[in-house]
Amino acid sequence: MPQQQQPLQMSSKERTLFQGLVKHYETKQYKKGLKAAEQILRKHPTHGDTQAMKALIFNAQGKEEEAFELCKVALKNAMKSHVCWHVYGLLWKSIKNYEEAIKAYKFALKLEPDSHQILRDLALLQVQVRDYQSYIQSRRAILQTKSPSRQNNSASRQNWTALAVAQHLAGDLYDAERTLTTFEETLRSTPAKTDNEHYEAVLYKNTIIAETGETERALDHLEAVFKNLLDRTVAMELRAQYLLQLDRKKEAEKAYRALLDRNSEYRAYYEGLRKAMAIEEGDTESLKSLYDEYGKKNPRGDTSRRVPLDFLHGENFRAAADQYLQRMLHKGVPSTFANIKALYSDSAKREVIQDLAHGYVSVTHTPLANGDAEKQANGEEKADNEKSSFNVSALYFLAQHYNYHLSRDLAKAMEFVDKGIDAKPEDVNFHMTKARIWKHRGNLQKASETMEKARSLDERDRYINSKAAKYQLRNNENAAACENMGKFTKKDTIGGPVGDLTDMQCMWYVYEDGEAYSRQGKLGMALKRFTSVKEIFEIWEDDQYDFHAFSMRKGQIRAYVDMMKWEDKLREHPFFSRAAISAVKIYLRLFDDPTLADESAHGGMNGDLKGMSSTERKKAKKKAKQEQEKREQAEAEKADAKKTARASADDEPKKEDKDPTGAKLVATAEPLVEAMKFLTPLLEFSSKSINAQQVGFEVFIRRRKHLLALRCLLAARAIDSSLPFIHEQTIRLRHSLKSLNEPLPPQVSEVINAELSSIIPPDADLLKLNSEYLNDNHESAACVQASLKVRQLLDPKTADENQKDVIRTLALPSVSLEDAIRGRDLLKEWKAESRYQETYLAAAHERWPEATAFCRLPNFRFKLPSRNWLIFLSVTGSFTTAVLYDRYHKQRNQQRWCNLVSHIAQEPLPPKRMPRRITIFLSAPPGDSLRAAREHFHEYVKPVLVAGAMDWDVIEGRREGDVRAGLAEKIRKRRRKEGEKATAVDASERPEEKDDLVQEFRDTIGITESEGVQGDLILGRHAWKEYVRGLHEGWLGPLDPPSDTTPPENTPKPSTDQPALEDAASGTNSSPEANDPSIQDSDSDAPPEVSAKPKEEKKEEKPKKPVQNPPYIPPTINEYNSARLPPSVPETLPPCTVLPSPHLLGFLNTPIRIYRFLNRRYLADETGREVAALVLASHVQAWTTRESFASSADPDASSSTITTATVQLEDDWEQQGVLQEEERDWHKSVWKSNEDEQERILKNPMVIEPRIGERMRRFEVGTEEYEKAKNDEGKDPAAKSLSDRVKEMVGWEEDRTVKGWEHGFVEVESA
């Protein structure tokens, strides 16, 4: 952050604002920083420092262009402000233009030479660009300046160390040593033994002394400081190396033996000890005794037993190999073959190992019987299971042995791996090896399937998951590979699994994904992936900037120097070379055939476009272009939505991918210029790569840079001149020079002739040279293909003969699968006739029947259905998909809440304890029957109640008022039990009810009710209004019926039997009216006075329909306020849960009903949450009300009355607004006036009396329970497969054949 230098004319308030502006930038509070800058600029519009700081904030927000423009204005207003120049340098650094940034920093230093911060930023950029001499000068200047936080900056260890590192990197070793020594002399006291930074610098100084070549002095210095060094292992290694270099072998031997005592598995220690003991490499006996010595000291070690296999031969090798193999196979070490495959370069050793391994799996073989292998340490015979394990390990070893390229026999490899799978079918290693065998056979499809099967055996193993994804990419299954990798990536990453893998710099996946797209002809996506690999290396290069200061501050000097050397060779990495070569090849294809860009942009329509006429091709391209534009527009809108949702004013801007499909990359007008961006670093850092030189030649020959092409050709010849493409490129270069339209410049022509004439004379007959090369290498398929390419170039008339000769190469004994694939691609490159390509594929398939590269698909074209069929299939398919999708997620939502309460059902219940019981209130929806409410209960409510092991009573209402009457009677019954007296009918005179007898019986045998919280469940707004009115009538009304009404003898009672809900689906009705044979029409809404006239032919008259109890108290606020609460009323009423029950009738409402039908998953989720709250009963909340209304209530409501002056307002209570939106869906008959009816609960507004309202409670789901249910995937432990679930959804029942023993059972039952 630049230092602030304030103009003198600014007031103290503005200086404070500027300091706050700087602080806001440093803490990334950009919004506040911009606000402070605007305040300053209102009074000082031309204040350069403030403008520069504002530009810096713009740059941090991603507004690069605005930042540069504003900074240039600031420089114009304050040209001599070091702050403006410093900011200007920071802007250039942010876009990685380090040269311009260094210029700006240097100009800022001219204005402020003692600025410690500018010096530091300048030094960091100089070491970033490897300007070591300037870096040394900057570091010297930093030592001579005073930091604002330190009075004596020269005492800083990190600045001295940084100067020494700068001198070291510049090659001034003695100056670097002198700098470190000078710093040590400035120390006033001896550093503590725990001062890691100091002793790291001391060890670094010792390595510098050693690099000067003064080994003796380095050893003396090391021994002087040895006892204080914290990195003891490195110190011991350096001491041993110095002693060996000084030829002090006795001491070196002791030093290396001390190292081997610390780590006996490091091969370099054994090599150093061998040199110290002066043992020659051919002295096998001495070497064997040395390794045997350490083998005895470390019985569990591997190196002392493995290394002797490298130098032993004959019988000694056989005995040692037998001992080593049996030891490893008995342990079951999977990496045994990987440890010894390096020996296969010696054919004699390879034969011995093969013979031993076959002996291990032979029928008559007994473990430890081959050769002179030593017996096991315990000396006991192996059990049968151990022998079986040994044989399985031997089978695995042999499968790998025959799969290896130096001993390959894929038939035997498959035989042994199948035996291993039969013996141990769940072993992942066998399946992985089998997948590799299929890969080497060329059957990438089976290889991918086998590796996927191996992954399914251990789904938690990231390695096997990655291998499965890699094999899927090799088989061009990009989507499946992405899905597999997504199992171990972040779920919310922008770009999905591929975006997360790119952020995590998983280069192998990005590279393989690009190769798969390249094989499919999707060149844009392929270039996108290869460009991502290049960007990863650029990120690595830029990341070192942060370590220039960090490593000095932490004292990690040696690691920092190693990192700098590694960064200098960064692009020698194999992944960069592979990605760069593949990208260059794609650009070469685009240069040779520009139409590939259109085909790639159109989704890889290569075959379709080529088979169309010009008119059809234009139409297809136009249609594909329109679809591409629509996709890009949709993706842009989606990205903008995400950006708007996640963006924050103070957040750092995230880079937006403006070309997610690589369309812009593949649509380049100059492919060779883009190829040079990959090729230049490739040739600079991977000059020893022959593939890099090959593609370099191809690029330069097309750019007509013949001198550069010759340089690549000479470099390739220096690496390996026997490769076939060398012959091809040599003749192509000479042919290109002969066919030039204009002569080359004299200097260039002279150099080319001087270098190329030694390879091929200028006047040579190229056709003759090519024929001679073909005759000399006619047994090599690769050489024949190269020669045919040259002949095709020199004599295009031989095209037919060349294509036939390519087919003939398949008959060569030495032809390999790779050669055959190159031949297939060569025919495609020549655009050979289809008959030649089909003949080639048939011949190749006959020779490699398992290879998928030569499998031919049926030659037919898909034809779209007619327009009407497309419309029909689209509509029906979309609707079916929407229904299945909704049902699937509805079940998941329900299961999520069932899982949340299922633990209650698992809790033990005492034998004489009743389960927790709730009361359910159901009422027929307006305009419909009770059956609809029952079915809604069964579908949405009952599953959660059953999962929580709940018991329930039911109060049902077929007509308006039944629920009110049932609840009121239930409350009055409770009041009577509590001791309240009724005047009309004495309690002793009331007949005993069924429930009373049951309860008396339970009390007699000691059965108790559950101690849990009781509760009520109300379904729908219509039942809720009746419930609230029944609650008021039961607690505020009298126990006696109204004087003007006599209750009928057959007054309907609320149904408390659960089977009523069980029978809903079958249409049965268990309410009192349905069970009474005297009822004429249970679903009729006719008033009780209306009855059918008796028919003359019938003698008996049917009884009238039972009349429900009339309200015991008028449902008005005045009547409620004037009533007294009974003494038995509890402080809080039982909590309740109100569930939505949307019910819409009418033909005109069909669209709305369809919409609700396709979105029932949301209703299931909401209902499940409320029912789960009731089952858990962990959170009970009071209903809310207005404070003004609450303040007017009498605090002693249980014994006093509310004055009639109190006015009840609509929606004063939360209960009044519950599910109020359902009233809009009620049938119109609800709102019609009917003078014959005495009670209209649904039509009239809900009335809440404060004393009742404040006692009402409701259930809620706690935060923890909600988060737990939200994170639950909604899977049933006993869930069925997807196919079975789909069959159930669509009602597909398979025919079930009745088994024989079931026939008898059916007959007995029917009899």
Side-chain angles (χ1 to χ4, degrees):
M1 182 47 245
Q3 294 176 339
Q4 53 268 33
Q5 178 184 0
Q6 307 303 327
L8 297 177
Q9 64 270 20
M10 292 180 65
S11 63
S12 60
K13 178 182 178 181
E14 291 157 355
R15 288 196 296 272
T16 304
L17 279 175
F18 187 82
Q19 292 174 357
L21 168 61
V22 175
K23 184 177 180 181
H24 291 324
Y25 171 76
E26 292 175 344
T27 56
K28 299 182 180 181
Q29 299 180 4
Y30 303 134
K31 189 176 181 180
K32 295 181 180 179
L34 290 175
K35 185 177 180 181
E38 293 295 337
Q39 292 179 359
I40 298 174
L41 292 175
R42 285 196 198 102
K43 290 189 176 181
H44 305 278
T46 60
H47 187 244
D49 292 358
T50 304
Q51 290 175 329
M53 287 302 305
K54 185 177 179 181
L56 207 56
I57 293 177
F58 280 164
N59 185 68
Q61 291 180 332
K63 306 174 183 178
E64 295 178 358
E65 295 181 0
E66 298 179 20
F68 272 96
E69 292 177 1
L70 185 58
C71 189
K72 290 177 181 178
V73 174
L75 285 172
K76 183 178 179 181
N77 295 329
M79 182 62 71
K80 294 188 177 181
S81 171
H82 72 279
V83 174
C84 295
W85 283 103
H86 191 189
V87 170
Y88 194 52
L90 291 175
L91 294 181
W92 282 116
K93 183 183 76 70
S94 66
I95 62 174
K96 301 180 180 59
N97 193 334
Y98 299 135
E99 300 298 333
E100 293 295 330
I102 290 174
K103 291 179 183 179
Y105 287 159
K106 288 182 177 179
F107 201 93
L109 279 177
K110 291 180 181 179
L111 301 173
E112 188 70 18
D114 296 331
S115 175
H116 182 271
Q117 192 166 7
I118 299 177
L119 277 171
R120 186 188 63 183
D121 290 347
L122 176 61
L124 296 179
L125 279 186
Q126 287 169 339
V127 69
Q128 179 77 5
V129 299
R130 303 300 191 266
D131 186 2
Y132 293 129
Q133 296 301 327
S134 300
Y135 183 46
I136 293 174
Q137 296 177 6
S138 299
R139 279 299 172 185
R140 288 187 186 277
I142 291 174
L143 283 174
Q144 296 170 2
T145 59
K146 291 185 178 181
S147 172
S149 59
R150 297 175 183 170
Q151 295 298 327
N152 186 12
N153 193 49
S154 60
S156 175
R157 176 189 288 120
Q158 61 178 329
N159 290 325
W160 283 94
T161 306
L163 177 59
V165 170
Q167 294 166 338
H168 179 203
L169 294 175
D172 301 333
L173 301 179
Y174 289 103
D175 290 344
E177 179 191 356
R178 192 179 304 111
T179 300
L180 293 173
T181 304
T182 303
F183 170 69
E184 292 175 358
E185 293 173 354
T186 61
L187 298 177
R188 298 180 180 179
S189 60
T190 304
K193 294 183 178 181
T194 58
D195 190 349
N196 182 54
E197 296 180 11
H198 172 74
Y199 292 109
E200 178 69 19
V202 171
L203 196 56
Y204 173 62
K205 176 183 175 181
N206 182 263
T207 59
I208 292 177
I209 297 174
E211 287 186 26
T212 62
E214 301 180 23
T215 308
E216 185 73 34
R217 190 161 65 90
L219 179 60
D220 295 340
H221 174 265
L222 182 63
E223 290 182 343
V225 299
F226 185 83
K227 62 179 180 179
N228 294 325
L229 296 178
L230 300 179
D231 196 344
R232 189 56 56 88
T233 302
V234 173
M236 293 176 66
E237 289 177 351
L238 291 175
R239 182 174 180 274
Q241 292 174 12
Y242 297 158
L243 290 172
L244 189 61
Q245 292 173 9
L246 294 172
D247 205 23
R248 295 161 61 174
K249 295 186 176 180
K250 290 293 183 182
E251 298 177 66
E253 179 182 351
K254 293 181 181 180
Y256 277 112
R257 287 189 179 275
L259 286 170
L260 282 171
D261 291 339
R262 293 171 65 93
N263 182 9
S264 62
E265 297 297 313
Y266 191 26
R267 282 198 175 196
Y269 295 164
Y270 286 102
E271 183 64 18
L273 180 59
R274 181 191 67 79
K275 294 179 180 179
M277 296 178 65
I279 299 176
E280 299 294 335
E281 294 184 1
D283 190 357
T284 58
E285 293 184 2
S286 301
L287 288 174
K288 184 68 168 60
S289 61
L290 173 63
Y291 284 101
D292 287 344
E293 174 187 351
Y294 280 94
K296 294 177 181 178
K297 288 183 179 180
N298 186 17
R300 302 181 64 181
D302 179 75
T303 304
S304 58
R305 293 171 173 80
R306 168 61 186 85
V307 176
L309 299 179
D310 293 335
F311 56 80
L312 292 176
H313 298 278
E315 291 299 324
N316 292 333
F317 172 80
R318 185 181 184 88
D322 188 20
Q323 176 182 341
Y324 181 79
L325 287 176
Q326 290 204 45
R327 179 174 179 271
M328 301 295 283
L329 295 179
H330 273 295
K331 289 183 177 181
V333 179
S335 60
T336 303
F337 181 79
N339 290 344
I340 69 165
K341 67 181 181 181
L343 302 172
Y344 278 40
S345 57
D346 188 336
S347 59
K349 292 184 178 181
R350 183 170 67 242
E351 294 297 331
V352 170
I353 293 173
Q354 177 176 315
D355 183 55
L356 290 173
H358 274 285
Y360 300 152
V361 298
S362 64
V363 179
T364 59
H365 171 72
T366 302
L368 302 175
N370 281 349
D372 298 327
E374 66 178 6
K375 296 182 180 180
Q376 293 293 320
N378 55 14
E380 299 178 358
E381 294 183 359
K382 295 299 177 182
D384 291 341
N385 57 348
E386 264 189 89
K387 291 181 180 179
S388 175
S389 176
F390 177 84
N391 290 334
V392 170
S393 300
L395 289 172
Y396 181 59
F397 181 88
L398 277 172
Q400 293 176 294
H401 166 82
Y402 284 113
N403 190 42
Y404 191 54
H405 68 95
L406 292 177
S407 55
R408 181 160 294 168
D409 188 340
L410 297 179
K412 290 185 178 181
M414 186 64 73
E415 176 187 353
F416 285 114
V417 80
D418 287 337
K419 290 181 180 179
I421 292 176
D422 293 339
K424 203 172 182 180
E426 300 299 325
D427 194 328
V428 175
N429 295 318
F430 279 110
H431 292 278
M432 292 177 63
T433 304
K434 187 173 184 178
R436 295 188 183 99
I437 296 171
W438 281 121
K439 179 188 71 173
H440 293 148
R441 282 188 169 186
N443 196 330
L444 300 180
Q445 178 66 34
K446 287 189 177 180
S448 174
E449 294 173 356
T450 307
M451 193 63 76
E452 176 64 17
K453 182 178 180 181
R455 185 201 65 81
S456 65
L457 297 176
D458 190 356
E459 296 184 350
R460 298 183 180 181
D461 192 335
R462 293 191 180 213
Y463 172 74
I464 182 59
N465 186 80
S466 300
K467 293 295 290 184
K470 185 175 182 179
Y471 273 61
Q472 286 168 337
L473 290 175
R474 296 282 177 86
N475 195 39
N476 301 336
E477 301 176 49
N478 301 75
C482 181
E483 182 181 356
N484 268 344
M485 296 301 293
K487 294 179 172 65
F488 292 94
T489 58
K490 294 181 180 179
K491 305 300 181 184
D492 56 347
T493 306
I494 298 177
V498 177
D500 186 50
L501 291 168
T502 305
D503 293 341
M504 297 300 293
Q505 300 177 349
C506 184
M507 287 190 296
W508 73 263
Y509 179 86
V510 179
Y511 168 74
E512 292 291 347
D513 199 30
E515 287 289 343
Y517 281 123
S518 178
R519 289 189 294 269
Q520 298 172 54
K522 300 178 180 179
L523 305 185
M525 290 299 298
L527 286 176
K528 184 72 176 177
R529 297 293 182 259
F530 297 142
T531 304
S532 298
V533 175
K534 182 172 73 73
E535 291 174 351
I536 289 173
F537 283 90
E538 292 175 355
I539 292 173
W540 287 359
E541 185 178 11
D542 295 335
D543 284 347
Q544 66 176 316
Y545 180 86
D546 298 329
F547 288 92
H548 298 319
F550 174 81
S551 300
M552 298 299 104
R553 187 169 64 251
K554 295 298 183 180
Q556 303 297 327
I557 312 170
R558 292 180 297 125
Y560 171 73
V561 173
D562 292 340
M563 181 206 72
M564 293 290 289
K565 295 178 180 179
W566 177 79
E567 287 280 358
D568 292 339
K569 301 179 180 180
L570 178 62
R571 286 179 175 79
E572 293 181 5
H573 197 285
F575 272 120
F576 178 80
S577 301
R578 297 173 191 171
I581 291 172
S582 298
V584 171
K585 288 181 178 179
I586 291 177
Y587 282 119
L588 290 174
R589 291 173 59 187
L590 292 174
F591 178 82
D592 296 339
D593 188 2
T595 60
L596 292 176
D598 296 333
E599 294 173 0
S600 178
H602 298 152
M605 299 169 55
N606 305 34
D608 294 340
L609 290 178
K610 292 178 181 178
M612 296 179 180
S613 62
S614 59
T615 306
E616 293 176 343
R617 189 181 298 110
K618 289 181 180 179
K619 291 182 179 180
K621 288 183 178 181
K622 183 178 180 180
K623 183 177 180 181
K625 184 177 180 180
Q626 293 175 352
E627 294 177 354
Q628 180 70 16
E629 291 176 353
K630 289 181 181 179
R631 285 196 298 268
E632 291 178 355
Q633 183 179 359
E635 291 175 357
E637 293 176 354
K638 189 176 181 181
D640 291 341
K642 290 183 178 179
K643 186 177 180 180
T644 304
R646 300 190 180 193
S648 177
D650 293 337
D651 290 343
E652 291 186 359
K654 295 183 179 179
K655 290 186 178 181
E656 180 183 355
D657 189 358
K658 298 181 180 180
D659 187 20
T661 60
K664 295 180 180 179
L665 292 174
V666 77
T668 177
E670 298 179 343
L672 297 182
V673 175
E674 298 296 327
M676 288 302 299
K677 297 179 181 179
F678 289 89
L679 185 62
T680 301
L682 183 65
L683 294 177
E684 180 181 356
F685 296 101
S686 300
S687 58
K688 298 298 182 181
S689 172
I690 196 166
N691 292 327
Q693 301 298 339
Q694 180 184 7
V695 296
F697 175 89
E698 298 293 342
V699 172
F700 292 131
I701 200 68
R702 286 169 173 80
R703 297 186 65 191
R704 299 188 180 277
K705 303 290 184 180
H706 297 88
L707 188 58
L708 296 177
L710 177 61
R711 188 179 66 177
C712 291
L713 178 61
L714 294 176
R717 290 180 65 88
I719 298 172
D720 188 356
S721 60
S722 63
L723 294 177
F725 79 87
I726 300 291
H727 165 74
E728 174 202 346
Q729 291 185 347
T730 302
I731 295 185
R732 283 175 58 195
L733 179 59
R734 176 57 71 185
H735 177 71
S736 177
L737 292 172
K738 286 184 177 181
S739 58
L740 289 175
N741 296 327
E742 297 180 359
L744 296 174
Q747 298 87 347
V748 176
S749 179
E750 182 180 355
V751 173
I752 291 177
N753 289 330
E755 295 292 338
L756 189 59
S757 297
S758 60
I759 303 174
I760 180 171
D763 55 350
D765 187 350
L766 301 183
L767 280 174
K768 183 178 179 181
L769 289 176
N770 185 57
S771 299
E772 293 175 356
Y773 179 83
L774 179 59
N775 293 331
D776 295 339
N777 302 276
H778 64 277
E779 294 183 355
S780 171
C783 294
V784 172
Q785 291 169 0
S787 178
L788 294 177
K789 291 175 69 176
V790 171
R791 192 167 69 182
Q792 180 81 3
L793 173 68
L794 300 177
D795 188 6
K797 296 180 180 179
T798 60
D800 287 345
E801 186 64 25
N802 296 334
Q803 295 169 15
K804 294 178 182 178
D805 288 342
V806 170
I807 299 174
R808 294 189 186 102
T809 57
L810 295 175
L812 295 175
S814 61
V815 65
S816 64
L817 179 61
E818 291 75 14
D819 295 333
I821 294 176
R822 280 196 297 268
R824 178 203 63 183
D825 297 338
L826 183 59
L827 291 177
K828 290 182 179 179
E829 180 183 345
W830 287 345
K831 298 180 180 179
E833 297 180 12
S834 59
R835 59 191 179 94
Y836 289 123
Q837 294 193 34
E838 291 177 1
T839 303
Y840 186 90
L841 291 177
H845 180 70
E846 183 178 355
R847 183 157 186 175
W848 293 278
E850 297 292 346
T852 55
F854 310 117
C855 293
R856 295 177 297 172
L857 297 176
N859 187 16
F860 61 88
R861 294 182 59 184
F862 292 97
K863 185 178 180 181
L864 290 176
S866 64
R867 175 177 175 272
N868 295 337
W869 271 108
L870 281 176
I871 296 174
F872 172 76
L873 294 176
S874 299
V875 173
T876 56
S878 300
F879 186 83
T880 304
T881 303
V883 171
L884 295 177
Y885 178 84
D886 181 71
R887 289 190 181 183
Y888 173 72
H889 284 279
K890 172 191 165 189
Q891 292 179 1
R892 289 190 62 183
N893 292 341
Q894 279 189 338
Q895 190 61 43
R896 184 183 298 119
W897 297 108
C898 291
N899 294 342
L900 182 65
V901 302
S902 60
H903 67 279
I904 299 177
Q906 306 299 326
E907 296 176 1
L909 187 68
K912 292 190 177 183
R913 175 74 56 80
M914 294 290 294
R916 182 170 161 230
R917 182 187 297 268
I918 63 172
T919 304
I920 299 172
F921 295 87
L922 299 183
S923 180
D928 208 338
S929 65
L930 183 61
R931 181 189 181 96
R934 288 176 173 175
E935 290 177 348
H936 185 85
F937 173 86
H938 276 276
E939 187 173 1
Y940 295 97
V941 183
K942 183 179 177 181
V944 184
L945 294 178
V946 173
M950 298 293 296
D951 193 8
W952 61 82
D953 292 329
V954 183
I955 295 181
E956 293 182 336
R958 294 181 176 276
R959 294 173 297 173
E960 187 175 351
D962 286 352
V963 171
R964 185 270 310 161
L967 176 59
E969 183 60 26
K970 180 180 179 182
I971 297 174
R972 287 192 291 268
K973 180 180 177 181
R974 174 178 175 180
R975 289 170 58 185
R976 294 188 191 100
K977 288 185 178 180
E978 295 291 337
E980 289 191 52
K981 301 295 184 180
T983 58
V985 181
D986 190 78
S988 59
E989 300 177 1
R990 290 178 174 272
E992 288 186 297
E993 298 181 358
K994 178 181 178 182
D995 293 343
D996 298 333
L997 296 176
V998 172
Q999 186 62 37
E1000 182 180 357
F1001 176 78
R1002 289 175 178 171
D1003 295 339
T1004 303
I1005 62 177
I1007 295 178
T1008 59
E1009 295 289 340
S1010 173
E1011 297 177 356
V1013 179
Q1014 307 300 318
D1016 298 333
L1017 188 148
I1018 304 96
L1019 197 62
R1021 169 77 175 181
H1022 56 290
W1024 172 241
K1025 296 186 77 171
E1026 293 194 44
Y1027 175 88
V1028 173
R1029 183 169 292 188
L1031 206 63
H1032 284 75
E1033 179 183 339
W1035 289 114
L1036 298 179
L1039 295 179
D1040 301 324
S1043 58
D1044 57 341
T1045 304
T1046 302
E1049 296 180 0
N1050 53 351
T1051 300
K1053 298 178 182 179
S1055 173
T1056 59
D1057 296 332
Q1058 184 176 350
L1061 294 178
E1062 301 286 20
D1063 298 335
S1066 60
T1068 59
N1069 195 336
S1070 60
S1071 62
E1073 295 87 348
N1075 295 331
D1076 192 344
S1078 62
I1079 297 177
Q1080 179 181 1
D1081 186 5
S1082 60
D1083 291 336
S1084 175
D1085 290 334
E1089 292 80 6
V1090 181
S1091 60
K1093 295 182 179 181
K1095 296 183 179 181
E1096 297 178 357
E1097 61 271 18
K1098 291 189 177 181
K1099 299 180 180 180
E1100 297 181 0
E1101 183 179 357
K1102 291 185 178 180
K1104 293 183 178 181
K1105 199 171 188 178
V1107 180
Q1108 63 184 211
N1109 289 337
Y1112 279 32
I1113 181 173
T1116 62
I1117 187 61
N1118 292 332
E1119 291 292 334
Y1120 288 165
N1121 291 340
S1122 62
R1124 285 184 172 275
L1125 282 177
S1128 58
V1129 63
E1131 290 295 327
T1132 60
L1133 298 176
C1136 62
T1137 290
V1138 189
L1139 304 181
S1141 179
H1143 192 73
L1144 185 63
L1145 300 176
F1147 177 79
L1148 296 179
N1149 294 322
T1150 300
I1152 302 177
R1153 296 171 66 182
I1154 292 177
Y1155 175 80
R1156 292 182 180 180
F1157 177 77
L1158 297 178
N1159 290 275
R1160 292 185 298 171
R1161 57 187 181 277
Y1162 302 114
L1163 178 61
D1165 187 45
E1166 181 182 359
T1167 304
R1169 183 179 68 250
E1170 298 298 330
V1171 178
L1174 180 143
V1175 176
L1176 294 173
S1178 57
H1179 293 76
V1180 178
Q1181 299 291 337
W1183 298 88
T1184 58
T1185 182
R1186 293 184 182 179
E1187 294 181 0
S1188 59
F1189 181 84
S1191 61
S1192 65
D1194 192 342
D1196 190 14
S1198 61
S1199 59
S1200 304
T1201 60
I1202 301 299
T1203 61
T1204 57
T1206 302
V1207 180
Q1208 172 67 33
L1209 301 176
E1210 182 68 19
D1211 294 335
D1212 276 336
W1213 292 87
E1214 182 183 2
Q1215 298 94 310
Q1216 294 172 324
V1218 174
L1219 301 179
Q1220 196 167 6
E1221 64 276 3
E1222 289 188 5
E1223 294 187 4
R1224 296 194 299 267
D1225 298 338
W1226 286 353
H1227 194 261
K1228 59 184 178 181
S1229 60
V1230 175
W1231 312 108
K1232 291 182 179 180
S1233 300
N1234 192 345
E1235 298 178 357
D1236 297 337
E1237 294 187 8
Q1238 300 177 359
E1239 187 177 18
R1240 296 301 301 271
I1241 301 176
L1242 303 184
K1243 179 180 178 181
N1244 298 330
M1246 185 183 297
V1247 179
I1248 302 292
E1249 204 279 333
R1251 293 171 296 174
I1252 299 299
E1254 66 187 8
R1255 284 173 165 80
M1256 296 177 66
R1257 298 293 184 267
R1258 58 190 173 94
F1259 293 100
E1260 283 188 356
V1261 176
T1263 304
E1264 294 182 2
E1265 289 85 356
Y1266 181 79
E1267 292 297 330
K1268 181 179 179 182
K1270 184 179 179 181
N1271 296 330
D1272 189 1
E1273 295 183 359
K1275 293 183 178 180
D1276 188 358
K1280 299 180 181 179
S1281 63
L1282 179 61
S1283 59
D1284 294 336
R1285 198 159 58 244
V1286 171
K1287 291 177 182 179
E1288 291 182 358
M1289 288 180 181
V1290 301
W1292 179 12
E1293 297 182 359
E1294 296 183 352
D1295 296 336
R1296 180 176 178 272
T1297 304
V1298 180
K1299 298 181 180 180
W1301 62 271
E1302 294 178 322
H1303 283 289
F1305 181 80
V1306 173
E1307 292 174 0
V1308 172
E1309 188 177 40
S1310 60

